[in-house]
Amino acid sequence: TTVSRDQLRVQVRVESGSPFIPFGKGQPLVIDSSLHDGRVEFTSHLETGWADWGIGQGALVMRPGAEPENFLRVLYAWRLLREGGLLLHACGVIHQRRGYVFFGPSGSGKTTIARLSLEDTVLSDDLVALKRGGSTWRVFGVPFRGDFPEAPRTNDSAELAGLYMPVKSTEHKLEDVSAPEAVARLSACVPFVMGSPSSAGEVMGNCADLARRVPVRALS
């Protein structure tokens, strides 16, 4: 069967054995990923695999009880970067057919914003896809959630109208963010693909283009 360049056929196996990356109680999750000659390599505690869109194939080996989600998250990140886009740690909301993205590290308020936005279309409380669309950028939903697993999986997109960094404060205010700070803050919220100088340079270039075209503000 012919597989198009936009498809991957991934062979999945479940095998008993020790963790690929040892871990213990209270230790943070480790996800290693890299790109070599067009091939994405991935390893986490209970999963390891690879994918190559050039040949349309991949493989994933999981220990019993493991889940494929982290592998899929990594593939999303690398595929979006390959297409000039970004996977961003962010809450995404569509309001009146315009897209709004609230980005930041864990604990910054993304899930709270998602819960407060249920009258609109919540794309995710954890990760969104950003892609160029001509002279603009669009935000897309992805099938991943953070601390809000009950939120619906929404296959929708909208032109991006604003990017906001939630800041916990005792007062309400909205402040513009300088271009250098916007690029730095956005790049810090791009997972999985910052491990090499070349990919990090691509990410920062995409973030710079994004910050030129879409307002970036701090939301207190």
Side-chain angles (χ1 to χ4, degrees):
T1 302
T2 302
V3 178
S4 81
R5 69 178 184 86
D6 293 323
Q7 294 179 322
L8 277 176
R9 177 171 294 146
V10 179
Q11 182 185 54
V12 181
R13 303 194 313 274
V14 178
E15 296 181 353
S16 299
S18 58
F20 299 105
I21 299 177
F23 65 101
K25 186 176 180 180
Q27 288 184 308
L29 174 68
V30 176
I31 297 176
D32 289 333
S33 86
S34 58
L35 182 68
H36 301 286
D37 298 323
R39 174 168 161 148
V40 175
E41 303 280 355
F42 159 84
T43 301
S44 190
H45 300 290
L46 300 177
E47 311 91 24
T48 189
W50 62 271
D52 189 331
W53 277 281
I55 60 175
Q57 295 182 18
L60 176 64
V61 179
M62 301 191 299
R63 295 299 185 230
E67 299 286 347
E69 181 169 324
N70 287 327
F71 181 60
L72 295 174
R73 288 176 178 234
V74 166
L75 294 187
Y76 263 71
W78 283 108
R79 181 58 189 245
L80 282 163
L81 186 61
R82 176 187 178 189
E83 296 179 351
L86 296 166
L87 185 68
L88 192 70
H89 267 309
C91 163
V93 176
I94 297 177
H95 173 70
Q96 298 180 352
R97 298 313 309 165
R98 303 185 76 190
Y100 299 87
V101 165
F102 305 86
F103 67 96
S106 297
S108 61
K110 300 188 297 296
T111 297
T112 299
I113 291 170
R115 292 186 187 278
L116 292 170
S117 304
L118 289 177
E119 292 184 359
D120 294 303
T121 300
V122 177
L123 297 173
S124 175
D125 72 316
D126 186 46
L127 289 167
V128 295
L130 303 178
K131 295 180 69 175
R132 288 188 183 95
S135 61
T136 64
W137 281 74
R138 293 186 70 84
V139 56
F140 295 78
V142 297
F144 310 123
R145 295 292 179 270
D147 297 322
F148 195 17
E150 64 270 32
R153 268 59 177 171
T154 305
N155 185 16
D156 202 352
S157 72
E159 185 174 321
L160 186 55
L163 291 152
Y164 301 90
M165 299 186 308
V167 179
K168 294 179 180 179
S169 175
T170 57
E171 60 179 333
H172 299 296
K173 59 183 176 179
L174 196 60
E175 298 176 291
D176 290 333
V177 175
S178 69
E181 183 178 2
V183 172
R185 298 275 189 169
L186 286 165
S187 299
C189 292
V190 177
F192 311 128
V193 295
M194 295 289 284
S196 72
S198 61
S199 61
E202 286 185 67
V203 167
M204 294 184 72
N206 291 348
C207 289
D209 185 80
L210 181 59
R212 281 194 299 269
R213 300 179 189 275
V214 181
V216 182
R217 298 184 175 102
L219 173 63
S220 296

